[in-house]
């Protein structure tokens, strides 16, 4: 069964360092997303991406964050200069359609720890 | 604003017990409602959904009914199994949204003991 895969599963980094989280969405999906969950808090929407551009982003997704799909298969989230409060589980997701069908397919998550 | 509130966990049950995980929402407009489940070591998976008031979503013995009057979407299962142990997330998506932007609750950890 097709699945979304994320790497790394866990990354530890020093504050101020750049981090890139990678995702391989399901191959025939067209819409891509990043969500995050800080420990003990809600899963929060960060950004959605379609046709090589951002469709929607949340207030959390500031200038420190960027996304790209460099090679038509990977979908990456870059945090330019990490802060302690960026420590969270980051989930990548993809879907075949847009709208509010809610049928997103999620990866296992990448846990980021910023020291 | 739009938000989802679900009951705090962990919820610990014995096998074959009845399960309820409460979920209420606040939304402008007409949301669709979802339950996602995350089994250990896996990503979030859509468990069930309901797209309009009074709809009942069901899957794998789980059910939830979209109650507009109480703004609720409680998850129920008549007889849980050890394999149901997971984290359950309630979520909504707003009609007319540009993308599948889900608004989640905090998740409820369910532990089922044999």
């Amino acid at each position: 069964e097709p699945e979304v895969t994320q790497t790394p599963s866990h990354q530890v980094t020093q504050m101020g360092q750049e981090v890139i989280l990678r995702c391989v969405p399901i191959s025939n999906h067209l819409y891509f997303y990043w969500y995050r969950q800080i420990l003990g808090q809600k899963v929060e929407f960060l950004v959605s991406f379609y046709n090589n551009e951002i469709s929607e982003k949340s207030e959390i997704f500031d200038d420190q964050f960027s996304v790209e799909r460099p090679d038509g298969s990977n979908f990456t989230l870059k945090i330019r200069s990490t802060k302690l409060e960026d420590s969270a589980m980051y989930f990548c997701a993809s879907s075949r359609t847009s709208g509010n069908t809610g049928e997103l397919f999620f990866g296992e998550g990448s846990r980021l720890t910023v020291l | 604003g739009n938000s989802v509130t679900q009951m705090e966990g962990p919820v610990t049950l014995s096998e074959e017990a009845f399960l309820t995980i409460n979920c209420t929402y606040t939304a402008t407009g007409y949301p669709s409602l979802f339950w996602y489940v995350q089994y250990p070591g896996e990503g979030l998976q859509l468990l069930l959904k309901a797209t309009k008031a009074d709809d009942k979503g069901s899957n794998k013995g789980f059910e939830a009914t979209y109650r507009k009057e109480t703004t609720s979407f409680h998850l129920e299962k008549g007889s849980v199994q050890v394999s149901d142990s997971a984290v359950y997330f309630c979520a909504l998506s707003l009609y007319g949204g540009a993308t599948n932007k889900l608004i989640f609750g905090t998740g409820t950890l369910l532990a089922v003991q044999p």
Side-chain angles (χ1 to χ4, degrees):
Chain A
E1 185 175 327
E3 59 181 18
V4 175
T5 57
Q6 291 185 238
T7 54
S9 57
H10 188 193
Q11 181 156 355
V12 181
T13 191
Q14 296 292 322
M15 191 169 55
Q17 295 296 303
E18 176 183 281
V19 161
I20 297 176
L21 304 178
R22 292 182 168 80
C23 169
V24 179
I26 294 173
S27 61
N28 64 346
H29 286 187
L30 301 175
Y31 300 84
F32 314 110
Y33 314 83
W34 284 101
Y35 285 76
R36 79 172 186 189
Q37 186 178 28
I38 295 171
L39 189 64
Q41 299 185 23
K42 298 185 178 187
V43 176
E44 303 170 291
F45 170 80
L46 292 179
V47 66
S48 59
F49 190 86
Y50 169 71
N51 200 26
N52 283 321
E53 60 184 26
I54 290 172
S55 306
E56 191 172 353
K57 60 182 181 179
S58 71
E59 294 175 353
I60 303 166
F61 196 87
D62 61 23
D63 291 345
Q64 293 297 317
F65 291 88
S66 62
V67 289
E68 63 175 1
R69 197 154 183 251
D71 56 12
S73 91
N74 289 286
F75 177 52
T76 62
L77 174 69
K78 182 191 289 187
I79 308 174
R80 188 167 55 197
S81 177
T82 51
K83 303 188 284 286
L84 295 176
E85 55 265 37
D86 293 328
S87 295
M89 180 72 87
Y90 289 81
F91 294 103
C92 174
S94 68
S95 67
R96 209 162 43 82
T97 62
S98 66
N100 71 331
T101 64
E103 188 115 33
L104 272 64
F105 292 79
F106 284 83
E108 295 176 22
S110 293
R111 181 169 297 285
L112 176 64
T113 302
V114 182
L115 303 176
Chain B
N2 303 304
S3 67
V4 172
T5 302
Q6 57 183 111
M7 64 189 289
E8 297 280 335
V11 174
T12 303
L13 295 174
S14 298
E15 211 164 18
E16 299 183 4
F18 184 85
L19 168 71
T20 300
I21 301 178
N22 290 336
C23 171
T24 57
Y25 67 89
T26 303
T28 54
Y30 304 95
S32 292
L33 302 174
F34 310 89
W35 278 100
Y36 273 78
V37 58
Q38 185 179 28
Y39 299 104
E42 300 183 15
L44 283 76
Q45 305 170 25
L46 180 63
L47 179 60
L48 53 84
K49 69 178 183 181
T51 58
K52 61 183 189 295
D54 300 324
D55 268 3
K56 178 187 284 188
S58 60
N59 185 25
K60 300 182 181 180
F62 291 90
E63 293 182 340
T65 301
Y66 188 143
R67 301 282 189 205
K68 189 177 177 183
E69 63 276 14
T70 54
T71 62
S72 65
F73 193 55
H74 303 321
L75 183 68
E76 297 182 335
K77 186 175 185 182
S79 176
V80 294
Q81 305 301 311
V82 172
S83 57
D84 294 326
S85 298
V87 181
Y88 292 82
F89 295 88
C90 186
L92 68 82
S93 178
L94 292 170
Y95 180 76
T99 59
N100 266 313
K101 175 182 169 181
L102 292 170
I103 297 169
F104 284 92
T106 51
T108 302
L109 173 63
L110 171 65
V112 180
Q113 298 175 336

